[in-house]
Amino acid sequence: MRKIFGSIGALTLMLTVISCGGSTDLGGGGGGGGGGGGGGGGTCPAGTFCMGSSIFFTATSTTQPVSLTFGSNQAVTWFNDGIAHNVVFDNPSSAQAVGNGSSGNIPDPATGTFQRQFAAAGTYPFHCTIHGTATTGMRGTVVVQ
C-alpha cells in the first residue's frame, strides 16, 4: 500500500513540475503570474510593448495596464512572438503610420513587430480584444509628452 501511495505522490510531483514549465513568450516568460494572468515578464526591449500569452508587458512592468512614455511623432513598437493578439486603440485615428507602415488599429497578427506614432501630447489607451477590454485584462497606454 505504501508503494502505491508513494508512486501516486511521485507522479503528482512530476506532473506539477512539468506543468509549471516555461513558455514560448519572448524571453521565456513563465506561466501563472498573479491570479492566473500568465505569460510575459521575460526579456522585452526597452521602449517596446511586448505581447505575452494574455498580457502586454514592457522591460519594466507586467501590471495591466502597462504604460510607456514617448515624444511626439516618435515610433512606438509592439512585438508579438506568435499568440493571436490585436491592438485596438480607443481613438484609432490618433495612431499614425510610421514610414511605409499602416495606421490605426493593429489587426490580429500571428507574429511580428508593428509601429505607430502619435503627433499630439496626451494619453492613448489600447487593449487586445482577444484577451481583454478597454477596462479589464490585456491593456495599456501610450503617453506622449
Side-chain angles (χ1 to χ4, degrees):
M1 196 64 146
R2 285 184 180 199
K3 284 187 175 184
I4 291 174
F5 286 122
S7 296
I8 291 172
L11 180 60
T12 302
L13 178 61
M14 183 175 67
L15 289 174
T16 301
V17 169
I18 290 170
S19 68
C20 289
S23 85
T24 59
D25 289 334
L26 185 64
T43 303
C44 184
T48 301
F49 291 103
C50 294
M51 301 177 200
S53 61
S54 62
I55 63 169
F56 287 109
F57 65 101
T58 67
T60 59
S61 180
T62 60
T63 303
Q64 306 300 287
V66 292
S67 183
L68 289 173
T69 301
F70 298 89
S72 62
N73 293 314
Q74 184 179 353
V76 179
T77 303
W78 284 263
F79 175 76
N80 183 3
D81 71 347
I83 296 171
H85 292 296
N86 58 20
V87 178
V88 175
F89 298 96
D90 285 6
N91 182 2
S93 63
S94 65
Q96 301 170 348
V98 173
N100 293 326
S102 300
S103 63
N105 295 332
I106 300 171
D108 305 344
T111 60
T113 300
F114 305 87
Q115 292 186 317
R116 300 292 185 267
Q117 63 187 8
F118 302 83
T123 300
Y124 301 94
F126 61 89
H127 64 281
C128 172
T129 61
I130 299 167
H131 299 102
T133 69
T135 58
T136 63
M138 190 173 177
R139 64 196 198 284
T141 57
V142 174
V143 178
V144 177
Q145 297 181 339

